[in-house]
């Protein structure tokens, strides 16, 4: 059996890190699969002409990144992922949650987490003003500018993620029984909020650019609704992106019918359209976003941006629901903005999403999919012989979890025969490839290919 050896050519940094980087890369590529055995320390040291201590350090680093595990007497092995059964033939591969975790950055961040602080520990462990500490709102403003939506810190109110941002936006604008206009396929979390707050949704017909202007105007006339919720940049679930022309038309209608627009921009950082709807009608918009998709969801940091009058109402809603956002989250953002981590992760995500989109395009070639080269998800139309629920169940039995269209549809038309696939959830491209291959097999009506046992 040939021994796997890392290729260190062209890598920079200390040798131990170069070895760990090589392992990392091969795991991402899928050439080193879960269960694969790495060479014993001494063998690798001899072949690379380095000391055993260097190899031990490299393996320790790879273990810290979650790539390998060692068993005394049995050797060192590539780890499987708990989150998905990829490569191990184990649990299901989940394509139902929009998340893209930069594992390498996480590993690099771990040892220096909280080393760089803007506020003192006393401040971090106390309450801060409800809209957020000034320094944290400033960092958020810089982050928004980097992702296409410059905003003054005075207009920013921090929230615990975008779900909370949407909640406070609704609290500030609607009362039970009101109607909210939205794309006919919309974010399921917004539907959940509407149900809690007893508001009704009216779905607006869509085309390739998102909501249609004629349908929006008709709904404004017939419902007298005053609130519009939409996602102009990389809509969830369809990935539609509004052109500048469409944004201007929607903005004009918002002025004409005196709508308040809740603009959800969580995927805007990936969008080729660099500007938001809120840039056209800042005083009519509550701009809602978070760093969940662009950086990490676990720090639960987001914001709403509004007119000065709206900021007061939004602040009251944040106070009611949480008093203030944990300042530790804002401090982390400050540190990552300052030391370049945020910019690096942004770049990595843009690159990784594009690569995964390329893979999806290749593997699902020939099927009707709505997406965008820079979108983290894909809306896949199913052939007529499938119902959505039957296909989702079939995929579950093949070890892949997908979202059925019912989660997103609004209105009486009935959900289309389609599913949403989140391309970022599998931790490796190899995992995604496996999931997409299984979907293609099911669409083609093929039985499951025999899976290798490792
Ligand atoms: C369109 C949209 N808005 C808001 C959210 C909520 O994001 P957060 O995790 O920041 O609460 C999501 C999460 O998937 C989303 O897809």
């Amino acid at each position: 059996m040939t021994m796997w050896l890392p290729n260190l050519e062209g890598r920079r940094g200390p040798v131990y890190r170069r070895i760990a980087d090589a392992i990392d890369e091969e795991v991402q590529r899928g050439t080193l699969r879960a269960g694969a055995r790495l060479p014993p320390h001494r063998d690798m040291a001899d072949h690379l002409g380095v000391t055993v201590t260097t190899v031990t350090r490299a393996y320790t680093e790879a273990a810290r990144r979650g790539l390998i595990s060692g068993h005394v007497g049995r050797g060192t092995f590539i780890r499987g992922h708990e989150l998905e059964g990829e490569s191990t033939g184990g649990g299901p591969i989940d394509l139902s949650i929009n998340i893209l975790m930069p594992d390498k950055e996480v590993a690099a961040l771990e040892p220096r987490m909280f080393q760089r602080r803007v506020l003192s520990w006393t401040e971090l462990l106390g309450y801060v003003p409800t809209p957020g500490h000034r320094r944290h709102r400033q960092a958020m403003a810089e982050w928004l500018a980097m992702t296409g939506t410059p905003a003054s810190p005075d207009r920013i109110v921090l929230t615990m993620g975008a779900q909370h941002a949407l909640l406070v936006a609704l609290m500030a604008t609607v009362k039970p029984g009101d109607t909210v206009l939205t794309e006919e396929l919309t974010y399921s979390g917004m539907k959940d909020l509407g149900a809690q707050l007893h508001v009704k949704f009216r779905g607006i017909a869509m085309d390739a650019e998102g909501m249609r202007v004629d349908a929006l105007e008709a709904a404004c006339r017939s419902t007298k609704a005053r609130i519009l919720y939409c996602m102009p940049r990389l809509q969830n679930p369809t990935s539609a992106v509004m052109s500048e022309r469409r944004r201007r038309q929607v903005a004009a209608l918002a002025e004409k019918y005196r709508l308040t627009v809740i603009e959800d921009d969580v995927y805007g950082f990936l969008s080729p359209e660099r500007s938001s709807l809120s840039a056209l009608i800042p005083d009519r918009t509550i701009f809602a976003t978070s760093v969940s998709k662009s950086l990490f969801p676990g720090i639960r940091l987001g914001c709403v941006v509004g007119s000065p009058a709206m900021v007061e109402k939004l602040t009251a809603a944040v106070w009611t629901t949480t008093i203030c956002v944990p300042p530790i989250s804002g401090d982390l953002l400050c540190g990552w903005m300052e030391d370049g981590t945020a910019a690096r992760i942004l770049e990595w995500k843009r690159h990784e999403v594009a690569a995964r989109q390329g893979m999806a395009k290749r593997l699902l070639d020939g099927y009707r999919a709505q997406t965008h080269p820079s979108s983290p998800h894909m809306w896949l139309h199913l052939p007529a012989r499938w119902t959505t629920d039957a296909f989702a169940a079939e995929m579950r039995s093949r070890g892949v979890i997908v979202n059925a269209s019912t989660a997103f549809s609004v209105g009486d038309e009935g959900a289309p025969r389609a599913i949403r696939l989140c391309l970022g959830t599998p931790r490796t491209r190899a995992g995604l490839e496996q999931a997409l291959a299984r979907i293609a097999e099911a669409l083609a009506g093929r039985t499951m290919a025999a899976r290798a046992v490792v």
Side-chain angles (χ1 to χ4, degrees):
M1 204 172 77
T2 52
M3 182 194 298
W4 177 84
L5 284 171
N7 179 2
L8 304 186
E9 256 173 52
R11 298 186 190 282
R12 285 194 272 155
V15 179
Y16 84 90
R17 199 163 335 122
R18 282 192 268 159
I19 298 173
D21 287 348
I23 295 172
D24 207 335
E25 209 172 283
E26 304 264 336
V27 168
Q28 289 304 322
R29 259 202 224 126
T31 38
L32 270 180
R33 294 187 163 248
R37 187 179 186 151
L38 292 181
H41 297 211
R42 169 148 306 282
D43 290 5
M44 187 182 279
D46 288 349
H47 276 88
L48 294 178
V50 301
T51 64
V52 173
T53 318
T54 301
V55 176
T56 304
R57 268 191 91 183
Y59 281 5
T60 307
E61 171 65 15
R64 200 178 56 74
R65 295 185 195 178
L67 299 167
I68 63 172
S69 56
H71 304 279
V72 178
R74 277 185 49 215
T76 308
F77 297 88
I78 299 296
R79 278 182 59 179
H81 287 289
E82 290 79 5
L83 204 71
E84 63 217 23
E86 61 192 62
S87 316
T88 61
I93 306 179
D94 193 345
L95 301 189
S96 72
I97 302 168
N98 242 329
I99 179 175
L100 180 56
M101 191 53 88
D103 285 322
K104 230 188 243 178
E105 281 293 343
V106 174
L109 281 176
E110 248 172 51
R112 38 192 181 87
M113 211 71 156
F114 297 118
Q115 273 177 3
R116 201 182 188 114
R117 289 191 318 274
V118 171
L119 304 192
S120 69
W121 275 115
T122 307
E123 287 172 299
L124 287 177
L125 296 174
Y127 290 118
V128 286
T130 297
H133 190 279
R134 184 181 51 77
R135 299 282 298 274
H136 297 162
R137 279 182 292 127
Q138 180 64 42
M140 183 58 89
E142 286 162 21
W143 175 245
L144 292 182
M146 248 169 90
T147 52
T149 317
S152 149
D154 303 338
R155 286 185 168 227
I156 293 176
V157 179
L158 297 185
T159 62
M160 297 212 295
Q163 186 69 17
H164 185 221
L166 297 176
L167 169 66
V168 300
L170 288 177
M171 285 172 72
T173 52
V174 298
K175 54 183 189 328
D178 280 356
T179 296
V180 173
L181 306 177
T182 180
E183 288 116 344
E184 63 186 347
L185 293 165
T186 194
Y187 166 51
S188 55
M190 184 53 147
K191 285 173 62 183
D192 295 340
L193 286 173
Q196 290 277 347
L197 299 179
H198 305 288
V199 300
K200 293 179 280 198
F201 287 105
R202 168 73 178 264
I204 309 291
M206 300 168 76
D207 60 17
E209 284 196 26
M211 74 172 50
R212 275 181 17 212
V213 178
D214 58 336
L216 175 59
E217 177 142 37
C220 289
R221 285 220 184 95
S222 64
T223 63
K224 308 268 183 298
R226 287 279 174 267
I227 308 296
L228 167 66
Y229 165 67
C230 60
M231 291 165 271
R233 301 201 297 171
L234 293 173
Q235 207 261 355
N236 182 7
T238 64
S239 305
V241 177
M242 277 189 200
S243 63
E244 186 182 344
R245 179 162 180 269
R246 179 68 58 92
R247 286 199 309 274
R248 288 195 181 283
Q249 289 170 326
V250 171
L253 284 184
E255 293 287 12
K256 180 171 170 187
Y257 291 97
R258 303 163 61 86
L259 299 174
T260 298
V261 181
I262 301 174
E263 179 178 20
D264 184 339
D265 194 56
V266 290
Y267 303 108
F269 70 103
L270 292 165
S271 171
E273 281 290 334
R274 300 308 300 151
S275 189
S276 63
L277 186 58
S278 66
L280 297 172
I281 39 170
D283 289 341
R284 288 223 156 270
T285 313
I286 301 174
F287 180 84
T289 192
S290 72
V291 301
S292 299
K293 312 297 174 181
S294 45
L295 297 175
F296 303 108
I299 71 167
R300 307 307 300 137
L301 184 63
C303 69
V304 273
V305 183
S307 66
M310 191 54 81
V311 159
E312 264 186 52
K313 291 186 191 173
L314 295 166
T315 303
V318 170
W319 196 94
T320 306
T321 48
T322 183
I323 300 182
C324 67
V325 172
I328 282 177
S329 308
D331 231 62
L332 285 171
L333 180 64
C334 283
W336 297 336
M337 288 299 291
E338 257 173 53
D339 71 6
T341 302
R344 234 181 7 259
I345 293 177
L346 196 64
E347 228 15 74
W348 178 83
K349 290 206 177 192
R350 286 176 176 156
H351 178 75
E352 188 63 23
V353 163
R356 288 178 182 229
Q357 271 286 341
M359 179 186 284
K361 192 163 180 244
R362 180 168 52 78
L363 288 169
L364 298 177
D365 187 32
Y367 296 103
R368 207 177 129 222
Q370 240 169 299
T371 188
H372 189 283
S374 50
S375 173
H377 45 257
M378 175 176 254
W379 187 242
L380 183 66
H381 293 274
L382 300 172
R385 66 194 171 84
W386 287 104
T387 64
T388 305
D389 287 344
F391 190 78
E394 171 70 18
M395 287 323 303
R396 249 195 324 277
S397 76
R398 291 174 183 249
V400 181
I401 302 174
V402 300
N403 301 108
S405 56
T406 33
F408 309 95
S409 79
V410 173
D412 317 321
E413 293 296 309
R417 206 168 43 239
I419 52 167
R420 186 191 67 170
L421 307 175
C422 296
L423 306 179
T425 334
R427 299 290 267 272
T428 62
R429 289 186 200 168
L432 176 65
E433 186 161 17
Q434 217 173 88
L436 295 173
R438 288 184 203 171
I439 292 170
E441 273 177 5
L443 287 171
R446 284 197 300 272
T447 48
M448 273 187 277
R451 284 181 218 147
V453 178
V454 285

